[in-house]
Amino acid sequence: MKGNSLVQLPDGYLNRTPIFQFILLSMLFPLWAAAASLNDILITQFKHVFELSDFSSALVQSAFYGGYFLVAIPASMVIKKTNYKFAIITGLIFYIVGCSLFYPASHMATYTMFLFAIFSIAIGLGFLETAANTYSSMIGPSKFATLRLNISQTFYPLGSISGILLGKYLVFQEGASLEAQLANMSPAEAHAFGLEMLQHTLEPYKYLIFVLVGVLILFILTKFPACKPETKSDKTSEKSPGIIETLKYLVGKRDFRKGIAAQFLYVGMQVTVWSFTIRLALSVNQDLNERMASNFMVFSFIAFFAGKFIANFLMTRFAPAKVLLTYCIIGSIMLAYVSFVPGMTAVYGAVAVSMLFGPCWPTIYTETLGVVKEKKYTETAGAILVMSIVGGAFIPAVQGFMSDIFGSMQLSFLVPMACFMYVGFYFFNKVKKQQALEKTGEKTSDVA
C-alpha cells in the first residue's frame, strides 16, 4: 500500500498521477474552449447588427485575449501565495460573473458592454489557464509532463464543438443571412431586428453558468496535491524571488524568449483562422446563412480533435520537433491555398488546416517551461507563457485590418500563413539543435 501512496517529490512533481483529480483538471480545458469558440459566433453576429468593419468585429478577440494578458501575472502571484486549486476556483468564479454580465449586455445592446462582459470572462479564463496548464504538466511524474498536457489539451476541441453548436442553434437563426435580411429593412426595422438578434446572444451563456457552478462545487469538495517545489523552512533558506528578479532570469533565457514568440504567433494564427472561417464561407458563397456557415467551424474543431490524436501517435514514433515542422510546412501551404484559390474549396482548406493546429500549443508550452531549470520561477514562467496568448488579441485585429484594406477576406489569410511559417522556423531550429546534440552523443530525449 505504501508503494501506491501519492508522494510529492522535491521538484513539485508527483510519483504518480491521481486519476480523478487529473480528469477533473482536464475538464477545465473544454470549458474555456467553449467560451473561445463562442467568440467566433459573436464576431459574425456583431458585425452586421452593429454595422462593424472586419477590424472592429475582431475587437471581440482583442477584449478576450487582452484579459488573459493582463491577469496572467496576478494569477501567478495568487498561485505562489496560495495554490493551484485556489487559483482555479477564483477563475471559475470570475468566469461565472462574466457569463452573468451577458444579461445586462443583451438588454443595454451596446458593443462596448458586450466587450466588457467578454473581457470579464477572459479574466476568469486567465486564472484557469495560468493554473491548469502548468498544473496539468506537474500533476504526476516529470517524464510524462508533455504527455499529460497533450492529453488535457485533447479535451479542448470537445468544448470548441460544444460552443459552436450552442451558438449555431441558440444565437444564429434560420432564414437568409443577417446581411441579406438587414438590406431589405428600413432603419427603424433594422434597429428592432438588431435588438432581437442581440437577445439570442445571451442564451449559450445561461447553459454555461449551470455547468460552471457544478464544476466549481466539485473543485471545492475535492482535495488536490500542491505540486509546488519544496523550500526549506529554516532561516537560512532562500527567499522567494520577486517579480523583477524572476523576469530578469527569464529574459536571460534565449530559448524561453523564442518559445514566447512562437506561442504568441501560434495562438494568434489559430484564433484568427477560427475567427474568420464563418466570414470566409459567407463571403465566397452568398447563398449561405450564418447557421449553415457555422457548420464549417464544427468541422474545423473535429479536424482539430483528430489532428491531436494523429500527432500524439506520430510523436511516440518520431521526434516531436520533426512532426511539428512537417505540420507547419503543410499548414503554410494550405493557408496559401485558402488565400489565392477562389470558391468553396478555400473554405475546405481553412477547415482542414485546423487538423495541423493541435499539438503546437502544449508542445511549445512544456518545452519552453522546461527551459526554466530553477523551479522557484515556474509559476511566473507559466504565467508569462499564458500571457503569450495575447497573440489572439493582436493577430485577428491585423487580419481584420488587412481584410478591410484588401477588400478581400481570402487575401487576409496571408496573415496566419506568415505566422505558421514562423512557427515552422521555430521547430526547424529545434530539429537542427536535436541533430547537433545527436552528433555529439548527448542525450536528446527532452528536446521537443
Side-chain angles (χ1 to χ4, degrees):
M1 292 296 291
K2 186 176 181 180
N4 293 326
S5 61
L6 192 65
V7 178
Q8 180 177 301
L9 305 176
D11 61 0
Y13 291 95
L14 306 177
N15 64 323
R16 64 177 180 84
T17 300
I19 300 302
F20 178 75
Q21 285 85 344
F22 179 67
I23 292 172
L24 191 55
L25 181 63
S26 297
M27 285 175 57
L28 297 174
F29 289 71
L31 287 179
W32 68 64
S37 64
L38 277 170
N39 290 344
D40 305 328
I41 297 290
L42 296 180
I43 284 175
T44 303
Q45 188 84 341
F46 291 161
K47 175 176 173 58
H48 297 299
V49 172
F50 291 116
E51 300 180 355
L52 303 173
S53 66
D54 285 326
F55 172 77
S56 297
S57 66
L59 294 180
V60 166
Q61 302 292 24
S62 298
F64 188 74
Y65 290 98
Y68 271 85
F69 178 80
L70 293 176
V71 81
I73 290 293
S76 73
M77 295 172 68
V78 169
I79 295 170
K80 187 176 293 186
K81 295 291 185 183
T82 57
N83 52 54
Y84 290 106
K85 176 180 175 178
F86 183 84
I88 289 169
I89 290 173
T90 302
L92 288 169
I93 291 171
F94 272 109
Y95 192 171
I96 292 168
V97 171
C99 289
S100 301
L101 286 175
F102 269 78
Y103 282 88
S106 62
H107 289 87
M108 294 174 66
T110 63
Y111 188 42
T112 303
M113 185 61 197
F114 276 107
L115 292 180
F116 179 71
I118 293 167
F119 179 78
S120 301
I121 289 174
I123 290 176
L125 300 190
F127 271 93
L128 291 181
E129 286 221 45
T130 301
N133 279 298
T134 304
Y135 201 18
S136 177
S137 69
M138 296 194 70
I139 193 166
S142 60
K143 64 180 179 179
F144 298 123
T146 299
L147 176 62
R148 278 193 303 277
L149 186 53
N150 269 291
I151 291 172
S152 293
Q153 286 279 345
T154 300
F155 290 91
Y156 184 97
L158 299 179
S160 299
I161 293 170
S162 299
I164 287 295
L165 290 176
L166 285 172
K168 174 182 178 179
Y169 291 108
L170 299 179
V171 178
F172 292 153
Q173 304 299 302
E174 292 285 7
S177 66
L178 287 176
E179 184 177 18
Q181 293 185 66
L182 289 167
N184 298 319
M185 294 181 182
S186 67
E189 290 173 332
H191 177 71
F193 179 74
L195 292 177
E196 180 184 347
M197 291 301 101
L198 290 178
Q199 294 301 309
H200 295 302
T201 60
L202 170 63
E203 296 303 315
Y205 296 94
K206 290 181 180 178
Y207 292 96
L208 274 177
I209 289 172
F210 285 109
V211 175
L212 290 169
V213 169
V215 173
L216 174 62
I217 292 171
L218 283 175
F219 265 91
I220 291 173
L221 297 178
T222 303
K223 185 177 180 180
F224 282 83
C227 289
K228 300 181 75 173
E230 293 179 4
T231 56
K232 295 180 181 179
S233 58
D234 57 77
K235 294 182 179 179
T236 61
S237 64
E238 187 178 5
K239 293 178 65 175
S240 179
I243 187 65
I244 301 300
E245 177 191 339
T246 302
L247 291 176
K248 284 182 178 179
Y249 171 84
L250 296 175
V251 170
K253 293 286 185 181
R254 185 181 179 188
D255 286 345
F256 188 83
R257 297 197 305 269
K258 288 182 177 180
I260 293 296
Q263 201 73 294
F264 176 92
L265 292 173
Y266 161 70
V267 174
M269 167 192 67
Q270 175 182 284
V271 171
T272 196
V273 169
W274 291 346
S275 295
F276 291 113
T277 294
I278 294 176
R279 289 273 298 112
L280 176 66
L282 292 171
S283 69
V284 299
N285 189 341
Q286 306 298 320
D287 295 328
L288 293 176
N289 64 13
E290 287 80 6
R291 179 173 282 191
M292 295 166 63
S294 65
N295 287 331
F296 293 108
M297 284 308 303
V298 176
F299 301 149
S300 292
F301 292 129
I302 292 173
F304 180 67
F305 188 64
K308 291 181 76 68
F309 275 104
I310 294 171
N312 288 343
F313 171 75
L314 291 175
M315 286 191 290
T316 62
R317 293 175 172 264
F318 307 100
K322 291 181 180 179
V323 173
L324 291 167
L325 173 59
T326 304
Y327 268 43
C328 292
I329 292 171
I330 297 172
S332 299
I333 294 171
M334 292 181 70
L335 286 172
Y337 184 92
V338 173
S339 301
F340 293 113
V341 177
M344 283 300 294
T345 58
V347 181
Y348 302 142
V351 170
V353 80
S354 293
M355 184 176 291
L356 306 169
F357 288 161
C360 290
W361 161 262
T363 304
I364 297 173
Y365 187 95
T366 51
E367 165 67 14
T368 307
L369 197 62
V371 171
V372 184
K373 302 302 182 185
E374 295 286 342
K375 296 305 177 185
K376 60 186 177 181
Y377 303 120
T378 297
E379 289 94 348
T380 304
I384 293 174
L385 275 164
V386 171
M387 288 175 71
S388 67
I389 288 175
V390 77
F394 282 96
I395 305 301
V398 172
Q399 180 166 349
F401 179 74
M402 296 306 291
S403 176
D404 293 332
I405 294 294
F406 292 145
S408 169
M409 177 54 67
Q410 275 196 264
L411 283 178
S412 70
F413 274 79
L414 290 171
V415 173
M417 184 196 75
C419 294
F420 222 160
M421 291 175 67
Y422 179 89
V423 176
F425 182 69
Y426 169 82
F427 284 113
F428 174 72
N429 285 332
K430 289 289 181 184
V431 171
K432 286 177 61 179
K433 181 179 178 181
Q434 184 179 49
Q435 291 173 341
L437 290 173
E438 287 173 349
K439 287 181 180 179
T440 60
E442 295 183 31
K443 184 179 178 180
T444 62
S445 61
D446 292 331
V447 179

